[in-house]
Amino acid sequence: MPHEIINLNNHIKLIHKEIKSPVSHLGVLVNAGTRDEAENLSGIAHFVEHTIFKGTTRRKGYQVIRRMEDVGGDINASTSKEETWFHSSFLSADYQRAVELLADIFFHATFPEKELEKEKDVVYEEIKYYRDTPSELIFDEIEEQVFNGHPLGRAVLGSKKSVKSIKRDDILSFIQQNYTNPYVVISSAGDISTKKLTDLCNHYFGTQELVVTHRDREAFTNYQPKNVVKHKNTNQTHLIISTPAYSLYDDNRHVFMLIANLLGGQGMNTRLNMAIREKLGLAYTVEASYTPYTDTGLFSIYAGCDNNYWQKCIDLSFKEIDKLKKTKLGTMQMHYARKQFLGQLAIAQESKLHEMLSIGRSALFYDQVDTIEETIAQIESITAEQIWEVANQIFVTDHFSTLIYTK
């Protein structure tokens, strides 16, 4: 049956999936991320994610951490280009504890100056970690290259210089501007009735004033393909080719998700994996990814390979792309492409944490959540003609940017 989206007393949205399980999951999703930062404060969205746990008007930092961990649960957070999550997994009997704690940090975090300075050192180390991990860093740098000069191109972590400049007042200002209606959703998947959870959320969240604001994000329009080779002291070459793709709201996004999965999704039988790894043994890792944003998207193919074969890997990647552009999939190819994708979606939903995050994003960005039956119908309706049309629309060879890390 359809998921019901409930408006709390202060109009925060609540979405809940009732499941019979000893473990439940609750999260608060904010439609605010790296692209909503001022350029001189790059990394502040991520820094808020770190420091919101450092104490509230009611609790010291260690009490925030222990509140869920003392009963075997956890509390965590993550930041992306457009959203920030705060969430907890816990024994279902501890729902009230989780709701109260998330409301406390969301509305009453104090961001102590001493803790802010200490946490900056932690973030500096996180930045160093990414810089020492080329397979991670290359994804940040290709976005900087593709979205050159646009907020989507900024690294989620920021730089040491920008993080160092962040003050407590900057954090409070960022929250005041972005942690507002209609940019907040509470999402839940667990063993509690919708009515009881609504009552709990109204008690802890719904009594808090949340200002209603409207925010205009800078649209991305000025893409210029660019090819870059960087010489690094790595044991293998890391390469990535990328091009802008469909947004979260484009009707073709489901077709393109299927294409990305067919090319380089999770399976060992993907076209890129078969052509590059299985047949020739040129790479250990080769994958395709599609990240949709609210006004654009990014498609990428990544591979880690021997320093002598990176051009061969790129050529083979474009060869597989060209096959989709030139030849429509046959009946059985379409059948198995759809079936594999649907199977992967169903298996992902077995993770109730994943489901909680998924329905929260749907409620935030689409104001609705599709049932599994509706999702199956959408995927089953995709035709070979649509695959061919979308591949030709997005995969324009000279529109790709490339980034190579090699010796």
Side-chain angles (χ1 to χ4, degrees), residues 8 10 12 14 26-30 52-53 55-59 64 67-68 74-76 85-88 90 94-111 175 179 184-187 197-210:
L8 300 182
N10 59 355
I12 293 179
L14 167 66
L26 180 76
V28 181
L29 171 58
V30 185
I52 203 169
F53 300 107
T56 71
T57 55
R58 306 170 185 181
R59 292 182 171 95
V64 171
R67 183 65 178 160
M68 296 311 301
D74 68 20
I75 190 163
N76 211 332
W85 270 105
F86 307 99
H87 56 89
S88 180
F90 47 88
D94 294 316
Y95 245 109
Q96 182 172 353
R97 180 182 288 247
V99 174
E100 186 275 329
L101 179 63
L102 283 172
D104 190 26
I105 64 169
F106 191 78
F107 291 110
H108 306 297
T110 53
F111 303 101
I175 289 173
Y179 285 40
V184 179
V185 164
I186 302 169
S187 181
L197 179 61
T198 302
D199 289 343
L200 282 174
C201 288
N202 265 324
H203 179 74
Y204 292 109
F205 281 90
T207 55
Q208 303 292 328
E209 182 179 355
L210 203 62

Side-chain angles (χ1 to χ4, degrees), residues 5-280:
I5 297 176
I6 298 159
N7 283 310
L8 300 182
N9 294 338
N10 59 355
H11 303 292
I12 293 179
K13 293 176 186 175
L14 167 66
I15 180 78
H16 175 54
K17 172 71 176 292
E18 290 187 33
I19 56 172
K20 292 297 180 184
S21 172
V23 177
S24 295
H25 311 275
L26 180 76
V28 181
L29 171 58
V30 185
N31 186 359
T34 311
R35 75 175 300 175
D36 305 302
E37 302 166 343
E39 187 171 4
N40 64 314
L41 295 174
S42 176
I44 192 171
H46 172 256
F47 194 59
V48 170
E49 172 219 312
H50 271 243
T51 55
I52 203 169
F53 300 107
K54 297 303 178 180
T56 71
T57 55
R58 306 170 185 181
R59 292 182 171 95
K60 301 289 187 183
Y62 75 90
Q63 292 174 316
V64 171
I65 295 170
R66 291 189 58 179
R67 183 65 178 160
M68 296 311 301
E69 293 190 352
D70 278 356
V71 292
D74 68 20
I75 190 163
N76 211 332
S78 62
T79 308
S80 70
K81 295 295 175 81
E82 293 192 330
E83 59 199 62
T84 306
W85 270 105
F86 307 99
H87 56 89
S88 180
S89 299
F90 47 88
L91 294 177
S92 297
D94 294 316
Y95 245 109
Q96 182 172 353
R97 180 182 288 247
V99 174
E100 186 275 329
L101 179 63
L102 283 172
D104 190 26
I105 64 169
F106 191 78
F107 291 110
H108 306 297
T110 53
F111 303 101
E113 295 278 8
K114 183 179 178 181
E115 294 298 326
L116 296 184
E117 293 308 308
K118 190 191 307 180
E119 199 63 21
K120 286 179 182 180
D121 290 331
V122 175
V123 175
Y124 299 158
E125 294 305 312
E126 190 175 0
I127 291 170
K128 291 177 187 176
Y129 166 80
Y130 272 87
R131 288 179 177 171
D132 281 344
T133 313
S135 60
E136 299 276 358
L137 179 64
I138 199 167
F139 283 90
D140 280 345
E141 291 205 346
I142 194 64
E143 291 205 336
E144 182 181 350
Q145 187 174 312
V146 169
F147 300 121
N148 183 34
H150 187 274
L152 281 172
R154 298 178 195 150
V156 170
L157 301 182
S159 65
K160 184 173 181 179
K161 180 180 178 182
S162 64
V163 172
K164 186 176 182 179
S165 71
I166 295 172
K167 307 299 183 188
R168 182 174 183 273
D169 285 346
D170 298 322
I171 291 173
L172 298 177
S173 177
F174 183 81
I175 289 173
Q176 185 177 29
Q177 292 168 14
N178 294 285
Y179 285 40
T180 63
N181 267 333
Y183 304 126
V184 179
V185 164
I186 302 169
S187 181
S188 168
D191 195 359
I192 189 173
S193 71
T194 300
K195 183 184 184 307
K196 186 172 181 181
L197 179 61
T198 302
D199 289 343
L200 282 174
C201 288
N202 265 324
H203 179 74
Y204 292 109
F205 281 90
T207 55
Q208 303 292 328
E209 182 179 355
L210 203 62
V211 177
V212 178
T213 61
H214 177 73
R215 176 189 60 210
D216 290 318
R217 283 172 165 163
E218 178 187 343
F220 173 69
T221 55
N222 248 342
Y223 173 61
Q224 296 293 327
K226 190 176 182 182
N227 301 312
V228 176
V229 177
K230 292 190 174 185
H231 296 284
K232 292 179 176 283
N233 186 26
T234 57
N235 291 317
Q236 64 172 185
T237 292
H238 299 266
L239 65 91
I240 194 163
I241 63 173
S242 298
T243 189
Y246 301 113
S247 77
L248 277 168
Y249 299 108
D250 196 295
D251 290 340
N252 283 323
R253 70 186 184 279
H254 292 111
V255 180
F256 197 63
M257 286 176 187
L258 185 60
I259 290 174
N261 194 65
L262 179 67
L263 277 171
Q266 299 174 28
M268 293 291 287
N269 66 338
T270 63
R271 293 191 170 198
L272 289 169
N273 198 73
M274 293 301 295
I276 294 173
R277 173 173 165 156
E278 295 302 312
K279 289 184 179 179
L280 299 175

Side-chain angles (χ1 to χ4, degrees), residues 265-316:
Q266 299 174 28
M268 293 291 287
N269 66 338
T270 63
R271 293 191 170 198
L272 289 169
N273 198 73
M274 293 301 295
I276 294 173
R277 173 173 165 156
E278 295 302 312
K279 289 184 179 179
L280 299 175
L282 298 182
Y284 172 68
T285 300
V286 56
E287 60 190 27
S289 60
Y290 164 47
T291 306
Y293 297 113
T294 50
D295 58 341
T296 186
L298 186 69
F299 171 78
S300 300
I301 292 174
Y302 163 80
C305 63
D306 185 274
N307 291 315
N308 296 315
Y309 295 116
W310 61 263
Q311 187 61 58
K312 178 76 169 174
C313 289
I314 290 176
D315 292 342
L316 288 169

